[in-house]
Amino acid sequence: MPHRLLWTPLSAGQTFLRLQLPFLCGVLFFSVALALEVPTLRDSFVLWFGVAVTGAASMLFLLPGRRWLSTGWVVVIPLLDIVGIAAVRAALVPYLPTIGMLCLFPFAWIAYRFRWPALLLVFVSGVAIAALPFALGGRPITTLLAFINVSALPLIATGISVGIHLGAVSFRRGRERVEDAGRRLQALLEKSQDDELLLRSTLDTVTGAVAFYDANNQLVLANSAAEQMVDVVGFRLDTPPYAGSNVLMADRKTTIPFDEQIIPRALRGEVIASHLEWLGKPGNQIAILASSRRVHRADGMLLGTVIAAYDVTELANAIEIREEFLTTVSHELRTPLTSIIGFTDEIIDTLGDRAHDLGVAAYLETVSRNADLLLDRVGELLTAADKRIELTIEETDIATLLDQVTGPLRLSAERAGIALEVEVPPGLTAVVDPARITQAVENLLTNAIKFTARGGTVTVRARRDDAGDLHISVSDTGIGMTPDEQRRVFDRFYRAQAVRRNAIQGIGVGLSIVKAIVDAHRGRVTVDSEQGVGTTIALCLPVGAGRDA
């Protein structure tokens, strides 16, 4: 956008209309009027010489190529006007003493247009205009009255011209400041417009939906992805209630009320992190993962709310297909495995001691053991695929529970040369699902023993904190985990690189089951690990964790 000046110099036409024309009209009017009234003035050479000079100065505006009028040569015109008014005044002053006031027009022009040395020219010109009648009349300036008559006009005119000059200087400086400020504002405006264009282009380029609402919950900015996303539901981003009827929870069954949908929650000030919803009618649904946060200035003033959402339909569908496949395969494997185990046990019972005589006892035992192991793996897969873990809550003695868990594992730990320690205060109880907590702790201990080298130690601890929450932790002095591995340790089927490299058995669902069990108790799981030092995984179960589960 081109910069437009707040002030521009007067053009030649404007200068003529505002300065020269009023002066010319004044000279002509008073000269003609007094010539009509005083017959002797009709033959006054001085009068008509002054009028002619004034007219000639005015005619200069009609010359072609008037660029010189914007240069210093323009001083020729006010100088000719001064000569003209000097002659006119000399002829008319006996009849109209105030005619000399017309000299203020060229004086003002000089004072406004030129720098301060020109004020000396104004004073000298004023003296010449005042003294000309004395010179033409041959009267010397010898009396005080004559001196006053000669000095009054230049002093008054110069004083007025000084004021005009100072005003002009102040105006120019103010104009320069205003124009500098205007240029800066123009630059800021252009930068703001460029930033807005860049932001809009960036937002329209990203695949995610982004919307920003101000502190009054009015839409300020939204990209095309956001508009397309809400079109699926059937509402507008800029029109309350910012919600629609075709919005479902992650289960794709439960309808979410208007005031519990993403935008209304975000505008109420809730911080949303990776919230999954399904949008649209059946047959045309998309899954979104949304987050929101409020934006504040450094002083705490609320600027607005930003909401971001991503279309994760393909990922959600893939996960759903995986879950269905996992459940189906697990069930399909469980039935024949149960038959294999049952018939193997029947064969062992039927053969009895003859199995040793036939040399198949070891084989049958291997089949039975591996079938049981495989059935356990299938059970783990089913547990991992179960979206909601059902709890059977009861008052549980934690010391007894840990003894029951560690008892069968002590033999494995001793064979591996690992010390298994239990630290639990007597009488520690909690309202939990004992079977599920047993499963969780057993998974943690199995992993700890599996990943701890001979001579290491595995310790399970239990305690209650000041808030009444139950803490159960399993620590080992094993291989530890990298930060990347810690971030993914609860992902189903995830196995660390060192585990795969060393061909350690497992399918990578144990810790995901632990987390699911703790989540069902409304608790949390934390991991503290250092590679080469060891790992501590702690379960925190809030007081009364299972009552509302």
Side-chain angles (χ1 to χ4, degrees), residues 65-86:
R66 293 180 291 178
R67 292 183 179 177
W68 64 275
L69 292 174
S70 60
T71 68
W73 286 104
V74 75
V75 74
V76 172
I77 296 177
L79 286 177
L80 289 175
D81 287 341
I82 290 171
V83 173
I85 190 58

Side-chain angles (χ1 to χ4, degrees), residues 421-536:
E421 301 176 354
V422 178
E423 299 177 6
V424 55
L428 179 62
T429 62
V431 180
V432 295
D433 183 331
R436 291 297 189 182
I437 298 301
T438 297
Q439 183 182 9
V441 176
E442 184 177 3
N443 283 348
L444 294 179
L445 287 172
T446 301
N447 279 350
I449 294 171
K450 189 185 302 183
F451 300 120
T452 300
R454 180 174 296 275
T457 302
V458 173
T459 305
V460 57
R461 299 180 178 89
R463 64 179 180 84
R464 190 177 298 280
D465 62 20
D466 295 337
D469 297 340
L470 175 66
H471 295 262
I472 300 175
S473 65
V474 175
S475 303
D476 63 56
T477 57
I479 61 176
M481 291 182 283
T482 66
D484 287 340
E485 291 170 344
Q486 293 180 51
R487 282 188 288 270
R488 299 190 58 190
V489 70
F490 295 112
D491 294 347
R492 279 183 294 180
F493 308 112
Y494 173 73
R495 305 185 76 219
Q497 184 176 359
V499 175
R500 296 194 301 270
R501 184 172 58 248
N502 296 326
I504 299 176
Q505 290 185 352
I507 57 176
V509 298
L511 291 180
S512 66
I513 293 174
V514 171
K515 188 175 187 306
I517 292 172
V518 175
D519 288 343
H521 284 80
R522 296 184 295 108
R524 66 181 186 276
V525 187
T526 59
V527 179
D528 182 14
S529 182
E530 183 177 349
Q531 197 169 23
V533 176
T535 300
T536 296

Side-chain angles (χ1 to χ4, degrees), residues 34-48:
L34 287 176
L36 293 175
E37 180 66 24
V38 182
T40 58
L41 292 176
R42 299 171 189 174
D43 300 324
S44 174
F45 172 80
V46 175
L47 173 62
W48 301 116

Side-chain angles (χ1 to χ4, degrees), residues 4 43 52 105 141 191 312 390 501 528:
R4 180 181 177 184
D43 300 324
F105 281 96
I141 305 172
K191 185 178 183 301
V312 293
E390 299 294 336
R501 184 172 58 248
D528 182 14

Side-chain angles (χ1 to χ4, degrees), residues 324-340:
E324 291 177 356
F325 174 79
L326 182 61
T327 302
T328 301
V329 170
S330 299
H331 280 293
E332 291 296 326
L333 289 174
R334 191 170 193 172
T335 300
L337 271 176
T338 303
S339 298
I340 291 172

